[in-house]
Each structure stands twice: as C-alpha cells, then as structure tokens.
Amino acid sequence: MRIGSALIAIWLIIGVLATWQRGYFTGSEDPDCARATTIAITVIAGPLNYVGVNPKVEECDLPEPSQ
C-alpha cells in the first residue's frame, strides 16, 4: 500500500513539474475552463509528458443550469 501511494505521489509530482516547465501556471489572469482542464490533464499524464504526450484542451463547454 505504501509503495503504491509513493508511486502515485511521484507520478503527480512529475506531472506538476511538466506543467510548470510548459508555463501553464503563469500567464492569463482570467483562467478559463480549457486552461484549467489542460493543466489537470497534464498533471495526471505525469511522466508521459516526457515521452511525447502533450495533452491540450482547446474548447470546454460547461453545461448551463436549467431554469
């Protein structure tokens, strides 16, 4: 159990590092859905970012609440 938790933590730390290196944490003062989703997917992809995976979300349509 400890080894699995440690591997997941390392995986996510590598993902945060890749996200930081790509400059996703800086820039736009008004983050939108596509930017937030790109950051989340890049963090989750973790080490795969270093073997060529470049996840990006160009559009994000959020559902509107019913009236």
Side-chain angles (χ1 to χ4, degrees), residues 27-33 35:
S28 176
E29 304 250 342
D30 185 29
D32 59 357
C33 178
R35 181 177 172 88

Side-chain angles (χ1 to χ4, degrees), residues 37-49:
T37 306
T38 298
I39 290 171
I41 291 173
T42 303
V43 170
I44 292 169
L48 297 177
N49 291 290

